Amino acid sequence: MTAREYLTLLGQQWRWIVGAALVGVVVAGVAVLLTPASYAASVTFYVSTASNTSSADAYQGSLLSQDRVKSYTELLSGYRLGEEVVTDLRLPDDPQSVADQVSASVSPNTVLLEARVTDASPERAQAIAGAVGRRFPALIADLERPADRTQPPTVSARVVEGPVLAPGPVSPKPLVDLGLGLAAGLLIGVTIAVVRRSLDRSVLSLAQLAKLLPHPLLGTLPRDRHTDRTPLFLRDRPMSPAAESLRAVHGNLARPDGEGVRVVVVTSAVEGEGKSTLVVNLALAEANAGGRVLLVEADLRRPRASAYLGVPAGGGLAGLLAGQGALDEAVRPGGVVRLDVLPSGPLPPNPYELVESARMDAVLAEARERYDLVLVDAPPVLPVADGLALARRADSVVVVVRAGATRGALVRRAHELLVTAGVSEVGVVFNGVTTAVEGQYAGRYLTTPAPTPAPAPAPQLPAAVAPLAAVEQRPAGPAAPSVPAPRAVASHHRRPRHAPPRQQATGGQHRTPTQGIAVGDLVGRLAARGSRTADPRPPQERSS
């Protein structure tokens, strides 16, 4: 597997990985809570040989000390030292249990030896470390004393540091333990994901589907947890991602040259692929688009399409193929304008013989003449032979494959059967895909849009300019003087007028940015209005 495939795998199996990581953290947390706190005290020894005068003797003595230090680590955790510590502290414990609490370490390329004592009590740990510091040098002196008791020991050990008590408990360490639990959980989760992927033989990607079914992809339908409860998602949830994807599939059913496809058989490799849900929603899409559509429930073994639409069975297709009645009598309204349903009717004992008969050809031929589109819900092609018999009679066949459920070998076998049957017009619908599938849209375009903000109100003229509308709209010529109405009534009954065209401000005129009226023009209009208001005579008398 390539790095890209591993990343895709992690995206598909993220629930297992996250679950395993959470389990690892929980287990580590429980271990931290149940583990009693431990404290540590340490004491450091310096191991040396008897002093020598020459440098060669000193070098040999240094090598001897380093060699002895490696052996002394076993003595620090041995039974004999534990027995002496018990005697020194008068402990009721077994010497071996005390010795097990002592661990030794050597600094590389040095003659320093450290003894570390751990215990549930910090005082007890420090006391045992002190006893080790007192008893261990005497033990080394006794072991390294030559035969001549008058001579000093060849190697000696003396305390250079300690006993030193650690400032806090050395275990458990919550952050370290939780981090280790998280890392272990992630590792286990990734391992589970890889093992599941290696054992999974279902179709998980569009690339796999293209290799198994080398036919045009009509579209993909996303995984929708509400489909089982509301299979008519195009009617009940028209703005859902499933409904939008279904519209794309419906649009791809038309031929590229514009010639309409009249009879379309919808089938699958095995059961449980979602073909009945697809065919009823395709029928709704065609009816909504303005075409007359007939849904033929030709699955005479496990019919479901008519139940989704709430259509009673009646005689149905089975009775029609048995020679009982005509097509007009068997067809039922589908609850939507321009949608008719031919239900399966009572389940016959010989479904294959019925759909393979000439009567079936006559039914499809008559439906082809009456309807713009005939959708046939056929059984899967692998379990029974009915699906292939119906596929040979169709203009086009739609094969539904459910992602993560249909095994690749079954899809390949279905393709081989369709090729053998001479079916060439085949389209593929990949159902139940997730966002982890390469090329699947995972955006938020279909979410409810935010409300559009209301447009800003149009700027209002100042109160002194408002009456200008009535002045400018007065007809030319003489007019009788009128009594000015109250300001509130005039503003309430003011007729709307079109804004005057904007003019370039010249000279001393200054144009306001909001109203678009020259200040110079505004002053002139106000002056003219004031003169007319002050003199109530008609214009002819005022001019004279």
Side-chain angles (χ1 to χ4, degrees), residues 107-319:
S107 299
N109 301 323
T110 66
V111 292
L112 296 178
L113 180 63
E114 183 185 36
R116 181 184 177 93
V117 180
T118 57
D119 194 88
S121 171
E123 295 81 6
R124 179 184 167 91
Q126 191 171 18
I128 294 177
V132 170
R134 294 188 298 271
R135 291 292 182 170
F136 184 70
L139 177 60
I140 296 301
D142 183 59
L143 293 176
E144 298 293 345
R145 187 176 300 277
D148 187 1
R149 295 294 179 175
T150 61
Q151 298 294 326
T154 306
V155 181
S156 62
R158 61 178 181 271
V159 178
V160 295
E161 184 180 13
V164 178
L165 181 65
V170 294
S171 68
K173 298 180 179 179
L175 293 180
V176 176
D177 295 341
L178 291 177
L180 292 176
L182 176 62
L186 288 175
L187 181 61
I188 295 174
V190 172
T191 303
I192 293 176
V194 173
V195 172
R196 281 174 54 86
R197 180 63 183 89
S198 61
L199 298 178
D200 192 358
R201 296 293 181 262
S202 62
V203 182
L204 297 173
S205 65
L206 294 174
Q208 289 180 273
L209 183 61
K211 294 179 181 178
L212 298 171
L213 274 176
H215 297 287
L217 179 67
L218 299 179
T220 62
L221 296 181
R223 181 181 297 176
D224 191 349
R225 64 178 183 273
H226 304 292
T227 302
D228 294 337
R229 186 171 62 256
T230 56
L232 303 180
F233 51 81
L234 189 65
R235 183 195 66 184
D236 301 332
R237 293 176 287 121
M239 295 301 296
S240 63
E244 292 297 331
S245 300
L246 190 279
R247 294 185 181 99
V249 174
H250 169 259
N252 290 333
L253 284 178
R255 295 183 186 271
D257 58 0
E259 181 183 355
V261 177
R262 290 301 181 89
V263 179
V264 177
V265 168
V266 180
T267 184
S268 59
V270 291
E271 66 278 2
E273 306 294 322
K275 62 176 183 61
S276 297
T277 303
L278 174 65
V279 75
V280 294
N281 285 279
L282 282 177
L284 292 175
E286 178 66 19
N288 293 337
R292 295 197 59 200
V293 57
L294 174 64
L295 173 57
V296 180
E297 190 177 35
D299 190 347
L300 301 180
R301 300 174 187 266
R302 295 182 181 179
R304 294 183 179 179
S306 59
Y308 290 160
L309 293 169
V311 176
L317 178 64

Side-chain angles (χ1 to χ4, degrees), residues 384-403:
V384 294
D386 309 6
L388 290 176
L390 292 168
R392 288 192 294 265
R393 291 165 167 78
D395 299 331
S396 179
V397 176
V398 176
V399 179
V400 184
V401 178
R402 184 177 293 275

Side-chain angles (χ1 to χ4, degrees), residues 258-509:
E259 181 183 355
V261 177
R262 290 301 181 89
V263 179
V264 177
V265 168
V266 180
T267 184
S268 59
V270 291
E271 66 278 2
E273 306 294 322
K275 62 176 183 61
S276 297
T277 303
L278 174 65
V279 75
V280 294
N281 285 279
L282 282 177
L284 292 175
E286 178 66 19
N288 293 337
R292 295 197 59 200
V293 57
L294 174 64
L295 173 57
V296 180
E297 190 177 35
D299 190 347
L300 301 180
R301 300 174 187 266
R302 295 182 181 179
R304 294 183 179 179
S306 59
Y308 290 160
L309 293 169
V311 176
L317 178 64
L320 191 62
L321 297 180
Q324 302 173 1
L327 180 62
D328 294 336
E329 300 174 356
V331 168
R332 298 287 184 270
V336 180
V337 180
R338 296 180 296 274
L339 171 60
D340 292 336
V341 179
L342 179 57
S344 62
L347 302 185
N350 55 342
Y352 173 74
E353 287 75 10
L354 291 180
V355 299
E356 188 67 280
S357 64
R359 182 62 177 166
M360 187 70 195
D361 296 334
V363 171
L364 293 179
E366 184 177 357
R368 189 192 303 269
E369 297 296 331
R370 296 188 178 186
Y371 295 91
D372 299 322
L373 180 64
V374 180
L375 292 171
V376 182
D377 182 16
V381 298
L382 291 184
V384 294
D386 309 6
L388 290 176
L390 292 168
R392 288 192 294 265
R393 291 165 167 78
D395 299 331
S396 179
V397 176
V398 176
V399 179
V400 184
V401 178
R402 184 177 293 275
T406 311
R407 288 186 295 168
L410 299 179
V411 177
R412 182 183 298 107
R413 179 58 180 161
H415 169 63
E416 294 172 353
L417 291 178
L418 290 174
V419 172
T420 304
V423 179
S424 59
E425 293 291 336
V426 178
V428 183
V429 174
F430 204 23
N431 187 23
V433 301
T434 61
T435 54
V437 175
E438 181 180 0
Q440 181 66 14
Y441 175 72
R444 300 175 60 85
Y445 189 81
L446 294 177
T447 55
T448 303
T452 304
Q460 300 293 330
L461 295 177
V465 187
L468 291 178
V471 174
E472 291 184 357
Q473 293 178 2
R474 289 178 179 176
S482 60
V483 179
R487 186 177 302 274
V489 176
S491 61
H492 179 73
H493 293 283
R494 186 187 307 156
R495 294 179 298 174
R497 67 180 180 91
H498 298 287
R502 296 187 178 182
Q503 300 178 357
Q504 183 68 25
T506 58
Q509 297 177 353

